Amino acid sequence: MNADAELPLRARKKAAAREKILQAASQLIRSHGYEDATMRDIAAAAEVSYQTLYNYFPSKGDIVHQLLKQGMEDASSDYGALLQAYEGGLLDTLDALFHRTLTMVEGDDVTLWRIVLRGLLNQDADTNAALELIDGSAHRMLETLLDEAQASGELVSSIDTRLLAATLFDLADNALLRFLLAGTADVETAARTLGVQLRIVVSPYLTTGADPAAR
């Protein structure tokens, strides 16, 4: 049975209204731009009152946050599968994780991510909150993977996995920034460049048996 069907009628109506608002906002923001898609326009497109819209989302930043969170939840499922499947081959797993991150922001979602980037530069509280959510999730994911690699003997025991995770996160963050700013960039090119960089950083800390250059 559909889980939504088990919810009380009032809760189902609220969930449906929320989703309709998000869909309307997504279409307006992508077609008209963030600044020109007003909250009144979003309310009209979603067929809800202006006050009802604010009851769900107090600002456009909150709406963008939620839209990006939905995309992140899809990506998180893929991240979890990659981490669960890890049985060695740290560099290949990092490649796959970072590639999935880049595909998360390509296509129509580039518009939303550029809004977040602009909000970060302007110190906007709503978009900063979205980035903090993303950053925390990414750090935990990398730390988990590196801890497993170290426990399995693929990474040397002397390396601080927290520090290495922070370094890899910064590499990925910079790659993501360049990807968003470069209008003609594509995922595969960005992923290849990032792959070269992560190998420069990680390879010295692989055990001899795990170093591809030693095989």
Side-chain angles (χ1 to χ4, degrees):
M1 180 182 292
N2 189 323
D4 290 341
E6 298 178 355
L7 294 173
L9 178 60
R10 180 178 176 81
R12 294 203 302 272
K13 286 184 175 180
K14 289 183 68 174
R18 179 183 174 87
E19 185 59 30
K20 194 170 183 179
I21 289 170
L22 289 172
Q23 290 177 0
S26 177
Q27 292 173 1
L28 281 172
I29 289 171
R30 287 177 172 130
S31 61
H32 292 74
Y34 183 68
E35 289 77 11
D36 293 335
T38 69
M39 292 291 275
R40 290 191 183 278
D41 290 336
I42 293 171
E47 299 178 327
V48 299
S49 71
Y50 190 52
Q51 184 57 50
T52 296
L53 173 61
Y54 271 95
N55 289 339
Y56 284 97
F57 301 102
S59 71
K60 279 193 294 183
D62 287 322
I63 293 175
V64 170
H65 185 169
Q66 185 58 41
L67 288 170
L68 290 176
K69 186 178 178 181
Q70 288 180 337
M72 288 167 51
E73 287 171 352
D74 292 338
S76 293
S77 177
D78 294 336
Y79 292 151
L82 286 168
L83 290 176
Q84 188 172 14
Y86 170 73
E87 293 181 350
L90 176 61
L91 294 174
D92 289 340
T93 302
L94 286 169
D95 280 338
L97 289 170
F98 289 152
H99 187 278
R100 182 63 184 89
T101 298
L102 289 167
T103 60
M104 183 175 67
V105 304
E106 71 173 334
D108 290 341
D109 283 343
V110 168
T111 300
L112 299 178
W113 283 98
R114 284 176 176 159
I115 291 167
V116 171
L117 176 60
R118 186 164 58 248
L120 174 63
L121 296 175
N122 294 333
Q123 294 299 304
D124 178 76
D126 290 328
T127 49
N128 280 343
L131 285 172
E132 288 172 5
L133 177 67
I134 298 163
D135 290 355
S137 176
H139 270 294
R140 288 191 296 274
M141 175 188 70
L142 287 171
E143 289 173 0
T144 297
L145 175 61
L146 295 177
D147 284 343
E148 290 187 13
Q150 193 172 59
S152 69
E154 188 173 5
L155 271 180
V156 296
S157 59
S158 58
I159 184 64
D160 184 336
T161 55
R162 298 296 179 269
L163 178 60
L164 183 56
T167 302
L168 293 177
F169 174 82
D170 286 342
L171 280 180
D173 203 32
N174 287 331
L176 192 60
L177 177 61
R178 290 195 301 272
F179 180 73
L180 289 171
L181 292 177
T184 58
D186 65 271
V187 167
E188 299 307 322
T189 299
R192 282 196 299 272
T193 301
L194 181 55
V196 171
Q197 294 171 338
L198 74 86
R199 279 162 174 75
I200 292 172
V201 173
V202 176
S203 292
Y205 304 105
L206 294 174
T207 57
T208 302
D211 186 349
R215 292 175 182 172

